[in-house]
Each structure stands twice: as structure tokens, then as C-alpha cells.
Amino acid sequence: MKKEQGHDIYGLMGEFLTPEQILHAAAKAREAGYKYISAYTPFPVEGLAHAIGFPRTGVPFLTLIGGLGGGLTGFGLQYWCSVITYPLNIGGRPLNSWPAFIPVTFELTILGAATFAVIGMLALNRLPQPYHPVFNVSRFAHASSDRFFLCIESRDAKFDLAGTAKFLQSIQAHHVHEVSNAE
Amino acid sequence: MSTTPPPGDLPEIRRLDPVLEPGHTYASVTDKIAAVVLTQPPTTGWIVGFALSFTVVMVLFISLSWLIIKGVGIWGINIPIGWGFAIVNFVWWIGIGHAGTLISAILFLLNQKWRTSINRFAEAMTLFAVACAGIFPLIHTGRPWMAYYMFPYPSTMGIWPQFRSPLIWDVFAVSTYGTVSLLFWFVGLLPDLATLRDRAKTRAQQVIYGILSMGWRGSAHHWHRYQSAYLLLAGLATPLVLSVHTVVSFDFAVAIVPGWHTTIFPPYFVAGAIYSGFAMVLTLAIPLRKAYGLEDFITMRHLDNMAKVMLATGLIVAYGYFIEFFMAFYSNNKFDVFLAQQRLHGPYAHFYYALILCNILTPQLLWFEKMRRNVAVLFVMSLVVNTGMWLERFVIVVISLTRDFMPSAWGRYLPTFWDYSTFIGTIGLFVMLIFLFVRVLPAIAIAEMRELVHEQSDEEKS
Amino acid sequence: MLDVSPLTDDMSDQANHKEFRIVQPAQDRRAERGHKHDDEDEPEDLTVRESKLDLAAVREKLREKSGKQYWRTLEELADHPHFTDLLHREFPRHAAEWDDAVDRRDFLKLMGASLALAGLAGCGLPDQTHIVPYVKQPDGVVLGRPNFFATAMPFGADAVGVLVESHEGRPTKIEGNPDHPSSLGATSAIVQASILNLYDPDRAQTTLYTGEIRSWSAFLDAAPAMTANVKATNGAGFRILTGTVTSPTLAWQIKKLLAQYPQAKWHQWEPAVCDGAKEGSKLAFGRYVNTVYVPGKANVILSLDADFLASGPGHIAYARQFARRRKLEGTNDSLNRLYVVEPTPSVTGSNADHRLPLRASDMELFARALAGKLGIGPAVALQGDAEKWLETVAKDLQSEHGNSLVIAGEYQPAVVYALAHAINASLGNVGTTLYYTEPVEAEPTNNLDSLRDLCADMNAGKVDLLLILGGNPVYDAPHDFDFTSKLKRVHTSIHLSPYFDETSAYCKWHISESHYLESWSDARAHDGTISIVQPLISPLYYTKSSHDLVAAFSDKPGMPAFESLRAYWTEASTPLGMSLDAGWRKWLNDGVVGGTKYAPIAPELKFSAPSLPTLKPAPADQVEYVFRPDPTVYDGRFANNGWLQELPKPLTKLTWDNAALVSPKFAHSMDLAHKVVARGGEHGQVRSTVVDIELNGSKVTAAAWTLPGQAENTVVLPLGYGRSRSGYTGTNKGFNAYVVRTSNALWASFGGQMTATGDSYPLACTQYHFNMEGRSILSTATLEEYKKNPAFAHEHAEMPPKDMSLYKEFAYPGYAWGMAIDLNKCNGCNACVVACQSENNIPVVGKDQVMRGREMHWIRIDRYYQAESATNDPASYNPSLDNPQTFFQPVPCQQCENAPCEQVCPVGATVHSAEGLNDMVYNRCIGTRYCSNNCPYKVRRFNFLRFQDWGTPQLKLMRNPEVTVRSRGVMEKCTYCVQRINNVRIDAEKQNRPIRDGEIVTACEAACPSEAIVFGNANDPNSRVAKSKKQQRNYSILGELNSRPRTTYLAAVRNLNAELEKA
């Protein structure tokens, strides 16, 4: 029974009015032992990620990689061009005029880091992702304006349509919406 | 605007203006800002303004076409003055760009809440300024169609750029700056694009904003990574913005031309950039808040703070001018001394005095709160400072070249019609892009405004 | 007249194909070459005979016919016996086909052409199907390697022997001929530029009759008719007007013609040559003699307004000799000393150790005073410091008895010359520092009288047939002669000139004149040596030389110049003890005819100063107007030469214009201002006051220019500008000083009225700023100072030590090319500038661009005055400008080892070669102009627009194929003539030997008359350049910048006279 529910129901979504409410709701849901919870808010709510048990992001690490990569490429490129493959006497300056190579190295470091940060963030967020079941909830449009949503997914072991709905109401959900997989 | 404290409040502490006028809800800010883009029909003012700026852009196209047909000889440049308006404008535009990044990145790191309502269009301004600036290094070359030689690409001849040249540093600095600013801007826009998508009325809007927003759902996971990415970007953009104008100043500092060859240039160029940048933000913000009734979001507090920043950077620039003279006479280098005298008595002295008036004397008015809080004054002031900063670049680039080492080769410079038309053309391009921007994208970061509302309500509770 | 431009245009490119086709003969070695092309190209000249049928007749026959009958008529016509002649004359090539029975097709083609020709008044050309440059390689030609042919450029009473570089038959560059006495291997700016005249698209290209195109043979046909009525009177109405003739052959031809017409007269007129020299010698010796100076032998030289270093016969040789006496290798060397008295600064005056500005008309007074001081004439007193000056000079001259030299100026009257002769005699200089010879001119005449007579006769209607061989009297005759209106009274006037100019417009016939590189002739040098002038290319257009024209009236009409020349020399060679055939090749090869140099003669001095009538000098305060040929366009004949127009004049640095030169004091009193214009500025555009000059009952409007060092009350009106018919380049530039020049005051005139009109005129001045702002750019000293401190040049230049750099220096183990320029020798004559322009395909940009500061010269000559001036503005008076010491400094690319330009180029378009050259890579350059900004010497030049003329076909022929032709948007600069370096390198490597010193000669070095520029391998301690650089005078401009230039300078040293120093 759960199974076919699982097929057409993505989960249940509680709608809340304030950040405080959703924080509180998220905490409660965790206590109730739900694992697959996600929260949707019109602006970043402090502590929410922690509340739904999402400790750390991979973005900083990726950024570091990008930065190092960019920097090394930058200096390497210049050194290779000016010393190895195309050495020229330029106004009596040494082939490896490393002080003159710093600016480009620096710029490429920044470029690498920045691109990795953004692309990394998008990738980890699985973006772009034009379709997602939560969009099937008409009220969800308010998630980008003035409403806060807590979604408990159907794949959660403790998930059960009636019970979970009751639970959501119990934690002062303003509304409870069924999120269906099918459009 | 209500600066008078309500009865019962502690009278002795004068309450700062709010960065957001009270009484706003998540919905109200969202509606108000999104409406500008989604529902409000273009006002006649907008249409006229856009039409005008578009005409000027056509002037730009004509100028550029003629330039390509005839060559840079249509400008006033000559030997010894190899660089004229083109480079002056380039440095000026790049400088203007800096304020945007500064507001969105540095103020963000410093956790300055008041940046919120101005950072979006400040960043837009940055992008457009960089776009205008980027035109010049390309077209000022004798053979623009060969400009790609400046990029390191594996050519069949196996030849590579000459990385000791500051112009190559420019290529990397400016392109990096453009890219990073764009990313930063886009990341900031992402949640708002989602908002627009969700509130879009027409199919077209839904599709376009839908694609742009990449399916942003504002989930806690998204926000979490988003915030760390945004913070990192801010952290990267800060040294970047400082480096860009430093590199631009190297174009001059690295050369041996008296008047260019000084170590003070990097800091003093950066300060100058921020100076002119904030001036430009004011030039844009003041009409914008009036036209779209955004006084609640861009409050006197913002204007006041920006005025203070201008005052501060203005003083740094003044210090730069002073040091140039000091070093000339302290080092007693005959070329520098001569140049210093040229600035004061030479054929271009009047430019120098005009520059002092615009960049050093006038801004001193900003010491007075009355002036800082007088919108009209601020607006005029911002224009004056922009002019002054343009003159500064003119003085540095052109006047230093007119009289360098060999008296036998001394010359003078007079811009031609095409110099002016190209310059004005880029201003038109800049304005036109701004006009488009306010119509198609939220000029104020909605998501961040919601945060403000949230914080405000917290304050009220406490 | 009818506009023939479309025709001539069309013909000009046809002419080019023609040129390509006949390239081959031009390639074969000398004699045969010329011979071949003459009979191959113009056989008609040889086959001309009296003809009963001419085009007029053809047209006559065809007039009323049309359609079918037309063809019938043509066939009738074809049978006409004389048609063959006609055909021979008009279609030499097809004449052949005609002779051997042709098929109808060809026949019709011919007829079609000949009709077109009849209709279009004779501009038919053979078809151009066979343009095949080389089917088989001509002997003596290696493709891609230039050949050099010796010839000579006749100029005034002199001829400069030259070696002309020829690429596949196209003369491209002129070098001096070391074996020629007037060249000694060097050239002048004018000689260098003369090659541009050859390729000038504005040249007259065909024979014209009242503006209608005619063929040369049509002229030959008409000739008898012209002479018909003068024959009757033994040529009473027959006049020939030439310039100075030094060609023995031409003189011989003319004399033969005169013998044929006993009543005919030969007149001569050279607007820019003064009769003073001739009349002076007559006064002194009772006959015309030629004076040859030997400045090299003189320790003390006094020039009485003589610009012997930069103009006049033999000036190149004189400059060379003079410069050798300025050689200063150690403190023991001695210098000669040069005193110059002159009204207006000349190149010579600027190089003087002591210079006295004096009105030209006071020169006689000065000469008499000098004679007095030397005790050969009555004592005459001079006013002011002139007296003191004279005393010292006189003493100095006497102390060097036998080794001194007094030179009278070209534009001084006979008396001054006579006095100079007397003085030199009394100083015992004759035979050592100067000697006399027979006149160089074939027929010395007093030009002024000669022209006066001609005008009188023309006026009286006595002249029926006037032959004007070269010259442009309508433009340059004294205006009181009113040559124009008198010319109109001449029944038949024939003008031979390279351009259709002012005079041509008033003549019935105009014969386009061949350039000296296209025609056969001969000419005498200043010392009498004769050179054979041989063509390097067959005429580009339908042009003729004076030999052809004179021959046309002789008993052998149509005799080509080459035949005349051979005919004369078969006679003339016998006294040389050398048969023509034995000598010919040698003469052509050497560029001189051995044994023709005049032997010195010792004419007896029949003149004594006391016998002179006492002179009434003009009041000192009166303003004197002096006429001088322009330093670049001369008397106007070079007005259409872009190189010379754009060449900054040595002192004023003006281009494209002449200006009334005034002294600073005079300018101050008249408040004639200069305004430096923001566009271009000091290096470009200066607006100066426009003045009306009323003089000799006529008026001219000119721009006034303040010239430091000019005599206070002298106004100089340079001749040669204001041409009304000169061509695209030369028309309506500057003002025409001839308008106010009258026969009674050819060179100096009083009683003029100058009034400022109130408006101003923009002048293109390439260097307005004249002082060095106390920078170590051009360092100078007196001989005493030098002897005290030979290293004076290094006193103020803080040259950083080589080991100061953190980085290790690049090593140049192989060749290290370098240049040393001796400022003690350079006299600022400009030869190097034009030589460089010619060698390196440097474009002419025009006045407007020069005014924007965009001229393209790779080497410029900076002129500095030693004057304290607060404003650096000659126009604002201060006494130090009255007579400042003047110095010249040629500035090519300094080829810095630490080149600031290279470091800032983003694309590596300017990089250093292993031999230390600062190479420009045009293909890589994207034109950021950053290098130019960063060049402290500002020697880089940028193609702001498309300056190079890609269109004009003639100019394509002229370009040096070894040098890239730059187009729009790229930077360029001096390359040390890298193409020459590499040519020599290739030879050296082929022979597997190192490059020898002096083997590579840059264009500027080759042209320099005074050997001031030395190029070579600085690594070779025995090379001339290394030796120069070892000298203590050697320094580099702005050494403190540590750019380490490869071009260094030897500081200038002036040999001042202590006594005058005190004053």
C-alpha cells in the first residue's frame, strides 16, 4: 500500500507563516523521527538547515580547488610561454620575469575559485532542475514570497499519508498539501 | 520620512534612519518590487528615456563604424600623445564599475545591512560600466580585428603574448572582473528570478524567468550552499576589485613616462575608482527611487552613507595628488619636477584646476549633514565628482604625454568630433542598459529585503 | 585647355605595362642597354622622312565618308603609298606585321586603332598582350639582387655623380658615386629625392599642341613648318632659352644649330643662380673663370654669406672636406675654424664657430672693410661689434697665411666676389685652399641681361620661334619683365619641361621632358669632370630630352639623344687620347669620363680694391628684403616632390610652406606672433601672423616666421613656392616670392612695406621647441673646455652602472650592431632624412597630418639653440635669440638594449634580436601605441590612417622590394636598415667569412656628406663604430634612464676664438 502511495505521492507539505514556526516544526519532525524532510523558505532562515539535519556544504572545498587550479595554470602558462616555448629577449628583461607574471596569476586564481564556487553550488543543488514535484502544489508559489513549507517525503520509513498529515497539523501547519508525483 | 522619534523613546540617542521604512511585510516588499517588473506598464518617462539613450547608442555605432573604416587617425591622437580619449574613458568606466562590487562584496563582508537595497542595481551598474569600458581597449588599437593576438591561444605560428606588458594584465584583470561580477550578480538574482517565475502572469514571463531561475526552490539545502557560495564570492570579489584598478594603474605606473611612473598610483587609483563609483551609484539611485517610489527601500540612510564614503575616498584621492607633488620635489627628479610645474602652469593648467575644484574642493561640502541629506545637492555633487574623475584621467593620460623627455618631440592634443561621439555613445549605451535592467529584473534584491523585514520584526519584538 | 586627365591617367598605367615590357633592355649592361632600347622602342625616330601624308590628311580623307564607304575608303587609303610611313611612325611594332602581308583581321585591328588614334588625337598604344618580364634571364641580373648603374644628376652649374640601385630594371634608390668629385659617395637631400620626380604621376606624359595630345612624330612633322619662316632670315626670329647648361653635347648641338641659323640667339635664365660669381670673376680677372675651393686645406674659413656646406656647386664635396677637419679623436687634434657673416641662418652659418648676422646688402661693405684691414684697399669702418668681429677675423686669417679661405656667397654681387678673389690672393690662398679653372658652364652668360634681351626682342615682336628647354620663366622671371604678356607675342613657342607648368600653359607646344634617369646626356661637375648621364629605364611616358628637341630642328630631325651623344663624343674623345669605343664602357662604368677634370689655371688679377667707387651703404635701420631659393623645393622645380615638401627645412623646421623669415627683434617691433595650436602643438601646428608685403610696386601676402639668428633688419622671402600649376602636391603651397622680385633687385631689395593683415595662417612645423630644458640630450663644449675635460659629455648624465640591475644582462656574443653619430660633423643638411625615406618606403602624409604631429620620418634632425628663453617661444623676444649658437642632432631609433618599448608591447611585436636590434614585427603589431608612449626618444611612427599610397601604379615601381610596405594601424621605426644588414650577412655566409667593418652601410650613413654617421659591429674593437664609442666625447641621450641605447653621440665641440669670447 505504501508502495503505490510512494508512486503517486511525493510527500506531504505543511505550510507555515513565519520562520520561527518552520524552525519549530522542523525540530519537531526530527524528534518524531522523520528522516526525509525538506524545508522551503522565501529567504535563508538561520538554523533551518541544521534543524533538518544538513550539516555541511562542499562548496568551500571546490572553491579552494578552483583557486589553486587557476593560479597554477596562470603562472604555468606564462612561464611556459615566456621561458620554454617562445623565449624572447624583451628589452633585456630576463625570460622568467616572475614579478611581471604575478598579476595574471592572481587574476586567474580568482577566476578559477569564483567559477568553481558558483558552478559547484549549482551542481550540488542539482540545478538547473526545471521540474520538481513540489511545484505541483499550487500554494508553493508562495515559497518564493511569504510562506514557509515543510515537506515530509513519502519515501520516509515513518511516512503514512493520514498519520503524517495529522502530525503536520499537530505542529501548527497552516495548511497541509499533498504533493503528488504526477502532474 | 520620519526621523522624529515617537514620544516615550529615548530622546538623547538620535535614532538612525531605518534602512527600510517600517510597516512592510514579506508580501508587501515582494509585491512592490516585483510589480515594477511584472505588472507596471512602462511609464512615458521610461519610454522617452529609453528612446533617447537608444539614439545615442546609434551614434556610438556610427562612430565605431567610421573608426573601423578610416582608422584611429580620426581621433586627436598623434605622436607623442599616443593615447587619448579612448584610454581616458576606459579607466573612467572601469573605475565607476568598482562601486558596485564594493557595495555588494565588501559591505556584505562587513555585514552592512544598508547595502541590501542598493547592491542589486549597483552590481548591474558595474556590469554595464565594465561593458562600456571593455569597448575601448579593443577599438583603440590600430587593427581591432587583430586584437585577439592579446589572448594566449595556440596559434599556428606558435607565438604567444608578451606577459610583461601591463596591457596583457589588463586583458586578464578586466575579463576576470567582468566574469566574476556577472556570476556574483546572477547568484544574487537566483532567488528573485524564482520569485518572478512564481508570480509571473504571462506565459512568456513564466518561461523566461523559469529558465533563468533554473528551478530554484528555496529549499533549506539550496539556501545553505547558496549562502556559503555567496560568502565565498564576496570574499573573492573583494581582492579582485582592488586588484583590477591596481592593474589598470600599472598601465601607467609601469611605463617610464614622467607623470605615469609613480608608486602611489595603485592605492590612489583604487580610491579614485570607488570615489567615482559611488558618485555614479548616487547619480542612478536618486532618480530611480523617485521614479519608482522606492524611497522606503533606498532611504536617506543610504544616501547619507554613500556621501560619507565619497567624502572619505575623495580625501584619499586628494592625498594622492599631494603625494605626486611631494615626491616630485622631494626626489628632485628633473622630469617629475618639470611635470609638476607643467600641471600648474603648462598649456593644460586649466584642466588641472578644474580637476582640483571638482574632486577636492566641492566634495568638502559633504562634511555637513545638511548637504548629505539634501537629495538635490547630492545629485549635483555626484555629477561633479564624475566629471572630476574623468578630468583626473585626462590629466594623467594626456598631459603627461604631451611633454615628456625630448623637448623636440613635445606636442599637444585636441580631441576631434569622433573622440566625443564615441565617449558620449558609451554613456548612451550605459544608460540604455540601465533602462532595460529596471524593466526586466528586480532593481532591489527581494529575498534580502525579506530578510530585512524578518530582522526588523525581531528587533520590534525585542 | 581641354581636360586630358582621363586620357593621361589611362595612358599612365599603359605606360607601366610598357615599362615592364621593355624592362629587359634596361637590364642589359650599359651601352648595349641604352642602344637597344632606343632602336627597339622608337625606331620611328630613325625611319622618319618627309611625308606627304599625316593624320590630318587621314582625317581629311575620312571626313565625309561613313558606313560602308568608310571601309572602302579605308582600303583605298591602305593602298596609298605614304600610308606605310604613317603606320611606321604610329605603330612601329605593327609596322612589321603590316610589312609582311597581314591577314584582314590584323589589318582591321590596326585600322580600328589608327582611327581611334586619329579621332582621339594620337593616344594609341600597341596592345599589351606580351607582358612577360623574363622569359630568359638577362645576363648580369640575379633576380632579387639589385644592380647599380653609374650616372649623374645635372643640377645648376654642377652635376652630382650617383650610383642608382635598380631592381629588375626599376631604379629604386640613389646613392652617391665615390669616384665622382661632386659626390665622393655622398648625396644631398635633393639628389636623394630626385627619384620621386621620375615616378611622379603628375608628370607631363605626352606632347601637347595647344593642350591637345599630339605624337612626337606629329611634332617632328610640324617642325619644318615652324622653322620655315626663320630659315628665310637666317634664324633672326629664332631664340633658344635654356637654364645653365653644363652638358657639352647639348652645347655642341645648340652651337651647331646656331651655326645653321646664324641670326638665332641662345639665352639662359636660372632664377636661383646669381650672376655675381661670373661677373665677379670678370671684374677680377677680366674673364669668366670657375673657382674650386679646397676647404679641407683651410685652417680658417670666412664665409661672406656663402652656404658652401649645403648649397651651390660642389657643396657635397666641400661638406665632406670640411667635416674631416672637424674630426676630433683626442685632445691633440686641432679643428679648423669657421667664421660666417650672413643675413639669415643657413646650414653653414649654423655650423660656424663664430657667426655675425649682417644684412646681405652690407656684405660688400664688410668685404671692403676686410680688404682694408688686410691692407689691400682703403680702410672702411663698420659699426658696433661688427668692427671688433672683423678685426679678430682679419687677424686670424692673416695668422693662417696660405691656409685660410674666404668664400663669397652665391647671392652676393660681383664686387664681393672680386674682393674675395683679391683677398684670397693677398692671403696666398690661391693654389692651396682654392684654385681657378675654366668655367664649368658651357656658355657662361649673364643670365639677367640674357633674359632682358630676350624679353625686349619678344616685346618688339622679333621672336618668331622660341625654344624653351626646361625652366619655367612665366613663373620665375623677374616680374618687371612681364614675361607672360611678351611670350604671347611669340608666334611659335615650344616648351620642354617635366610638368605642364605655368609656362607650358602659354606655349603652343609642350614637349614632356624625360627625367635624367630616363634619358641619355652628359654633364660637368663643379671641377669640370664630365659624366655620361645614362638612363636606367626607358621613358615611362612619351617624353623627350633637350637633345631630342634641339635635334628636331637640326639637319637630322628625330635623331635620338643617344646618337647625338655618341656623335659628340666621337669628336670629343680624341683629345682624351681614347677612342670612343675604348672609353665608352669605362666611362659608363665609372660614372666619370677620365681626364676631363679641369686643370687649374692662374688667371692674372686685374682688380684692385682702391679702384672701386666709394660705396653708399643703405641706412642701417632700413629693412632689406632678401630672396633665397628654398632649402627644399629650391627655385620651385621640386614643388611637386612630396619628399622635399614634407622635409623639415633645416632651420625653421617648416614643411609644405615657405614663410617670410624675420628676426626676433623685428618680429617683436612689428608684434608678429606665433600661436601654438592645440592640435599638434609644438610638434605640428603653429599659427603665425599673415603679413602683406608691398615691394617693388607689387604685393604678396605671406605668413611671417620668426627665425632666431637672423639679421635684425632682414626679411627673407624664400623662392619656389606659390606655384599655380605644379601638380597635385605642389600647387598653391606657400606664397610666390617671385611676384615681388624685380630685375633691379634680384637678391636684396629695399623700400618694402610690411603690414600685418590681422589674420593668421597655420604652418606645419615639426619642431617648434628649441631649447633642451637643461636635459642631457645634446652636449656641447668649446675646444678649450674639451681639452681641459675631454669627458665633459658625462658630467651631468648620471649613467647607472651596468651591475646595478638585479637581473643578469643579456649577452650579445656575436655581432652587436651599433651606431655613432658625430655631432661635431653633422651639419643638419637633411640628406639622411630623405635617404631613409627612399630606402624604407616611408610614406608622405601631407600638411594636414604633419600639423597633427603624424609625420613618418624614421630619422629626424633636431635643432637646438643655446639661448635662455623663459617661454621657449621664438616669437617672444629676448636678446639671446639674436644670434644663438645652433646645433643639430639626427635622431633615429636608439635601438636601446633595455628597450622600454619592448617591455610594454602586449603581443611581442617589437622584440630584441640576438645582435641587439630592436626589431619591429609589422604583422604582429596591433597598434596599441603603448611602445611609442613609452619611448623616451619618441622615434616611433604610427600609421594613424592609410598613409601609404597603394593605388598609384608609378609609386609601386619606386618602392624598395626589400622593405615591407606598411599599411594602416601598425607602428614602424628605424630598423638600422636591417635589409642591408641581411644582404651583407648572406654574402658573408656564402663566402663563409665574418662581416667586414664598413661592409654594411645604412641609408643615412651612405647619404651623409660629412661622414657624421658611423654604423658597425660594436663588439669588434677595430670597427670604426667601436673606436668612436671608445672616445670620451661619446655619450647616449638621457643615459640616466638606463635604456642603454646602441645609437650613441659624439658631443659637439666648437673651436671658439678666445678674443671674440671676451667680447
Side-chain angles (χ1 to χ4, degrees), chain B residues 128-167:
Chain B
F128 303 155
V130 172
C132 293
I135 294 174
F136 287 103
L138 177 69
I139 61 161
H140 98 287
T141 60
R143 306 197 295 167
W145 48 90
M146 295 296 185
Y148 65 88
Y149 283 178
M150 288 203 270
F151 290 95
Y153 68 100
S155 87
T156 50
M157 308 277 235
I159 50 184
W160 295 90
Q162 203 279 96
F163 286 102
R164 295 168 195 78
S165 167
L167 289 186

Side-chain angles (χ1 to χ4, degrees), chain C residues 274-281 283-284 412-421:
Chain C
C274 176
D275 293 318
K278 273 169 280 179
E279 295 312 315
S281 65
L283 190 57
Q412 287 305 320
V415 182
V416 175
Y417 271 90
L419 284 164
H421 291 308

Side-chain angles (χ1 to χ4, degrees), chain B residues 81-119:
Chain B
I81 301 103
W83 285 353
F85 266 32
I87 299 299
V88 174
N89 301 338
F90 164 67
V91 180
W92 187 68
W93 276 121
I94 280 282
I96 284 172
H98 282 43
T101 326
L102 186 99
I103 291 169
S104 48
I106 299 182
L107 296 188
F108 178 79
L109 294 178
L110 300 176
N111 197 14
Q112 295 292 310
K113 286 292 166 221
W114 61 273
R115 73 179 264 285
T116 306
S117 43
I118 54 173
N119 69 332

Side-chain angles (χ1 to χ4, degrees), chain C residues 473-709:
Chain C
V474 166
Y475 165 70
D476 58 28
H479 91 270
D480 57 328
F481 284 2
D482 188 13
F483 192 87
T484 317
S485 67
K486 289 164 184 164
L487 181 57
K488 292 189 190 135
R489 296 160 163 271
V490 176
H491 180 273
T492 313
S493 47
I494 303 161
H495 186 221
L496 173 78
S497 70
Y499 296 91
F500 191 88
D501 58 24
E502 293 86 344
T503 307
S504 321
Y506 289 99
C507 292
K508 283 231 171 45
W509 286 88
H510 180 255
I511 315 293
S512 48
E513 186 178 15
S514 298
H515 191 269
Y516 74 92
L517 292 173
E518 303 177 307
S519 56
W520 284 98
S521 182
D522 53 5
R524 269 190 201 280
H526 74 288
D527 70 348
T529 311
I530 304 180
S531 305
I532 304 291
V533 178
Q534 65 170 329
L536 270 92
I537 186 171
S538 96
L540 295 179
Y541 316 115
Y542 297 96
T543 56
K544 296 289 159 200
S545 72
S546 18
H547 299 285
D548 301 307
L549 189 49
V550 173
F553 294 94
S554 71
D555 43 9
K556 291 199 208 59
M559 182 174 186
F562 181 70
E563 296 303 328
S564 318
L565 196 62
R566 299 279 293 188
Y568 168 77
W569 279 100
T570 21
E571 291 180 19
S573 57
T574 32
L576 299 174
M578 191 181 249
S579 82
L580 178 60
D581 303 320
W584 191 254
R585 272 173 160 281
K586 183 167 171 31
W587 298 340
L588 291 174
N589 179 70
D590 302 351
V592 292
V593 180
T596 50
K597 180 168 189 255
Y598 279 141
I601 55 170
E604 173 211 356
L605 191 64
K606 298 197 181 67
F607 164 81
S608 71
S611 64
L612 285 172
T614 50
L615 156 92
K616 279 211 277 52
D621 54 357
Q622 261 200 45
V623 177
E624 156 198 76
Y625 294 84
V626 174
F627 299 93
R628 293 289 158 100
D630 184 87
T632 59
V633 303
Y634 194 58
D635 59 4
R637 73 182 67 175
F638 297 110
N640 209 52
N641 186 312
W643 292 351
L644 289 172
Q645 284 283 10
E646 198 153 296
L647 179 64
K649 309 190 193 299
L651 272 299
T652 59
K653 295 293 165 192
L654 291 177
T655 64
W656 291 100
D657 272 301
N658 61 345
L661 308 178
V662 297
S663 71
K665 209 178 238 165
F666 183 82
H668 185 59
S669 60
M670 294 271 302
D671 62 51
L672 306 171
H674 291 172
K675 181 172 168 300
V676 175
V677 178
R679 175 156 293 138
E682 287 109 316
H683 170 232
Q685 187 173 177
V686 178
R687 290 193 83 89
S688 70
T689 318
V690 174
V691 290
D692 282 336
I693 299 169
E694 280 165 71
L695 185 60
N696 303 323
S698 160
K699 189 174 118 188
V700 71
T701 306
W705 187 263
T706 309
L707 183 55

Side-chain angles (χ1 to χ4, degrees), chain B residues 67-84 86 140-147 149-151 153 155 159-168 250-252 254-257 260 334-335 338-339 347-348 401-417, chain C residues 676-684 766-769 771-777 796 798 849 852-855 860 862-864 872 889 891 900 902-908 922-930 932-938 940-946 968-971 1037-1038 1040-1041:
Chain B
L67 178 74
I68 302 298
I69 294 165
K70 296 299 285 185
V72 288
I74 65 172
W75 293 340
I77 47 175
N78 56 28
I79 306 288
I81 301 103
W83 285 353
H140 98 287
T141 60
R143 306 197 295 167
W145 48 90
M146 295 296 185
Y149 283 178
M150 288 203 270
F151 290 95
Y153 68 100
S155 87
I159 50 184
W160 295 90
Q162 203 279 96
F163 286 102
R164 295 168 195 78
S165 167
L167 289 186
I168 287 291
F250 284 161
D251 289 348
F252 308 103
V254 166
I256 64 175
V257 180
W260 287 11
K334 53 178 176 285
F335 303 113
F338 179 82
L339 183 90
Y348 290 91
L401 283 174
T402 53
R403 296 190 162 181
D404 64 350
F405 296 100
M406 293 284 265
S408 60
W410 286 356
R412 290 201 199 159
Y413 172 80
L414 187 69
T416 63
F417 167 81
Chain C
V676 175
V677 178
R679 175 156 293 138
E682 287 109 316
H683 170 232
T766 58
Q767 186 203 351
Y768 187 66
H769 201 96
N771 82 12
M772 267 174 293
E773 304 292 340
R775 300 171 180 193
S776 51
I777 292 172
H796 304 299
E798 316 92 25
Q849 291 298 313
R852 291 165 188 262
R854 295 172 180 177
E855 82 277 3
R860 65 172 195 267
D862 288 347
R863 180 260 301 117
Y864 294 106
N872 308 317
Q889 180 175 47
V891 186
E902 293 178 3
Q903 184 221 350
V904 296
C905 176
V907 292
Y922 303 124
N923 288 354
R924 180 68 172 168
C925 177
I926 59 173
T928 65
R929 304 179 298 286
Y930 199 174
S932 168
N933 293 346
N934 213 33
C935 172
Y937 311 98
K938 290 288 174 283
R940 293 181 154 262
R941 297 287 177 256
F942 187 68
N943 292 274
F944 287 92
L945 298 166
R946 208 195 67 185
R968 192 238 287 187
V970 299
M971 190 61 72
I1037 304 182
L1038 300 168
E1040 64 263 46
L1041 299 179

Side-chain angles (χ1 to χ4, degrees), chain C residues 55 279 312 371 458 499 585 981 1023 1033 1050:
Chain C
L55 295 172
E279 295 312 315
M458 289 197 297
Y499 296 91
R585 272 173 160 281
I981 296 178
S1023 68
R1033 282 190 298 142
L1050 300 180

